[in-house]
C-alpha cells in the first residue's frame, strides 16, 4: 500500500508508526485509518517486529487532533456517519477473540505491545488511539479531550468501556460526560499515563523502554501476556488462573524458556527465537 498519511519505520525490532498530516495537526481521516490498520497488520505478522510505537508527526504539533473537520462536515451534509473506509480494510488483531473484533478494539488482539508516545494534543479519535494503546507516555503540557459532546455524538469507539477500566468510573465520568479539556498533568494523576516527560525527553524514553521490552522479554511472553491481560477482563479469577497454568505448561516446552534461563545464569542478553 502507498502510504500518504502514515510513516512507518522499523529499527532494532521497534516499529514506529507516525500519524503524518502535519498541516492538519495529524487529524484522522478514512485514508489514515485504512493506512493505520494496514501497517499494524504488517507489523503484527512481521517476526522482526517486537514492539509497536505510535506517535504524531512533530511538525503537526499534535498527536492526533481528532477527526478532520472536513470529515465532520461531510457527516453533517450526508445526514449520516461515514467512516471513509471500505469493506476490504485490513483487520489487524481480528480472530483472536470476538470481543476484540471491532474498530480500535482490534488493538487488544495484536500480538505485539503498542506504546503511545503522545507528543501533542489528543482529541476525539486521538484520545481513542491513546486509550487503546497498552502503554502511554506523554509530553508535559499536552491537552486531551473526548470532544464528542460538542457534536451531539455518543462516547466514541468504546471509550465508555475502556476508560473506566483505566482511570476508574469517577474520572471516566468526568472526561466523558463533560467532554472538557484536561491536561497531561491531570491525566497522570488519574492513572491514565505511565509516565509524564519533558517534550524533548519523550521519544528517547519511549524508544529506550521499547528496546528493553524487545531485548529483555521473550516474544512469546509478550504475546501471551498481552492476550491474558485483555482476555482476563472477561473472566473470573479462577478462569484466569486455570488459563495461566495451561499456558505455563505449554510455554515451558519452548526453546525460549531454556534460552532465558541460560542467558540469566550467564548474565547476557537472550537470543530469542520467537
Amino acid at each position: 500500500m502507498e502510504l500518504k498519511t502514515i510513516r512507518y519505520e522499523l529499527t532494532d525490532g521497534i516499529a514506529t508508526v507516525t500519524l503524518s498530516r502535519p498541516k492538519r495537526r495529524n487529524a484522522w481521516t478514512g485514508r489514515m485509518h485504512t493506512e493505520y490498520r494496514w501497517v499494524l497488520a504488517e507489523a503484527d505478522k512481521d517476526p522482526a517486529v517486537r514492539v509497536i510505537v505510535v506517535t504524531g508527526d512533530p511538525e503537526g504539533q499534535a498527536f492526533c487532533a481528532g477527526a478532520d473537520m472536513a470529515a465532520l462536515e461531510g457527516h453533517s451534509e450526508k445526514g449520516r456517519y461515514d467512516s471513509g473506509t471500505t469493506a476490504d480494510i485490513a483487520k489487524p488483531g481480528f480472530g483472536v477473540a470476538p470481543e476484540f473484533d471491532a474498530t480500535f478494539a482490534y488493538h487488544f488482539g495484536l500480538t505485539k505491545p503498542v506504546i503511545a508516545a503522545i507528543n501533542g494534543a489528543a482529541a476525539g479519535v486521538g484520545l481513542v488511539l491513546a486509550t487503546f494503546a497498552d502503554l502511554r507516555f506523554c509530553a508535559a503540557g499536552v491537552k486531551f479531550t473526548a470532544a464528542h459532546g460538542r457534536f451531539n455524538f455518543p462516547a466514541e469507539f468504546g471509550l465508555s468501556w475502556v476508560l473506566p477500566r483505566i482511570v476508574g468510573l469517577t474520572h471516566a465520568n468526568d472526561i466523558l460526560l463533560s467532554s472538557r479539556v484536561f491536561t497531561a498533568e491531570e491525566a497522570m494523576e488519574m492513572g491514565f499515563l505511565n509516565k509524564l516527560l519533558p517534550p524533548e525527553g519523550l521519544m528517547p524514553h519511549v524508544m529506550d523502554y521499547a528496546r528493553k521490552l524487545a531485548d529483555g522479554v521473550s516474544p512469546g511472553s509478550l504475546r501471551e501476556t498481552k492476550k491474558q491481560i485483555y482476555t482476563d477482563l472477561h473472566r473470573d479469577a479462577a478462569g484466569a488462573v486455570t488459563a495461566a497454568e495451561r499456558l505455563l505448561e505449554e510455554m515451558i516446552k519452548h526453546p525460549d524458556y531454556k534460552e532465558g534461563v541460560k542467558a540469566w545464569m550467564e548474565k547476557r542478553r537472550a537470543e530469542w527465537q520467537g
Side-chain angles (χ1 to χ4, degrees), residues 11-264:
T11 306
D12 297 330
I14 303 166
T16 303
V17 178
T18 304
L19 312 178
S20 187
R21 297 184 70 231
K23 293 182 180 179
R24 302 292 291 177
R25 302 192 72 213
N26 304 326
W28 193 256
T29 63
R31 172 79 193 197
M32 183 178 278
H33 195 176
T34 299
E35 293 182 14
Y36 181 75
R37 282 171 62 153
W38 186 84
V39 297
L40 283 189
E42 292 297 301
D44 203 45
K45 68 185 181 184
D46 185 350
V49 175
R50 301 289 177 81
V51 181
I52 300 168
V53 173
V54 178
T55 193
D57 188 327
E59 291 188 13
Q61 298 183 332
F63 174 70
C64 174
D68 191 281
M69 287 305 299
L72 294 177
E73 291 173 354
H75 301 330
S76 179
E77 291 172 2
K78 294 174 183 176
R80 62 179 178 83
Y81 175 75
D82 181 1
S83 68
T85 61
T86 57
D88 61 350
I89 191 169
K91 293 186 175 181
F94 277 66
V96 175
E99 295 86 357
F100 308 155
D101 290 352
T103 305
F104 296 111
Y106 55 71
H107 285 84
F108 297 156
L110 298 174
T111 62
K112 321 286 173 71
V114 176
I115 301 174
I118 308 163
N119 57 342
V125 72
L127 177 62
V128 172
L129 281 171
T131 303
F132 277 97
D134 303 304
L135 298 153
R136 285 165 291 278
F137 297 97
C138 187
V142 161
K143 294 181 178 179
F144 298 89
T145 179
H148 62 278
R150 71 192 66 169
F151 302 114
N152 192 42
F153 283 173
E156 296 180 275
F157 300 115
L159 280 180
S160 55
W161 182 89
V162 69
L163 261 182
R165 286 164 168 79
I166 296 173
V167 301
L169 187 60
T170 300
H171 290 310
N173 282 346
D174 172 28
I175 292 168
L176 297 176
L177 293 175
S178 71
S179 283
R180 71 177 180 87
V181 173
F182 61 102
T183 66
E185 289 70 21
E186 288 181 271
M188 187 70 197
E189 291 180 1
M190 293 176 186
F192 182 67
L193 302 175
N194 292 93
K195 197 172 184 67
L196 192 61
L197 296 143
E200 66 277 7
L202 175 64
M203 289 309 295
H205 179 88
V206 168
M207 298 309 287
D208 181 62
Y209 188 99
R211 270 187 212 97
K212 288 176 180 175
L213 288 183
D215 294 343
V217 184
S218 79
S221 183
L222 284 175
R223 179 185 66 248
E224 295 301 334
T225 302
K226 174 168 177 169
K227 184 178 178 182
Q228 282 178 286
I229 289 168
Y230 297 112
T231 302
D232 287 350
L233 287 173
H234 304 280
R235 284 186 175 134
D236 57 25
V241 171
T242 301
E245 289 176 330
R246 176 183 54 77
L247 278 170
L248 179 62
E249 291 176 0
E250 293 176 2
M251 293 174 69
I252 204 169
K253 300 172 185 176
H254 194 279
D256 276 351
Y257 167 69
K258 290 183 178 180
E259 170 60 11
V261 172
K262 190 175 181 181
W264 177 265

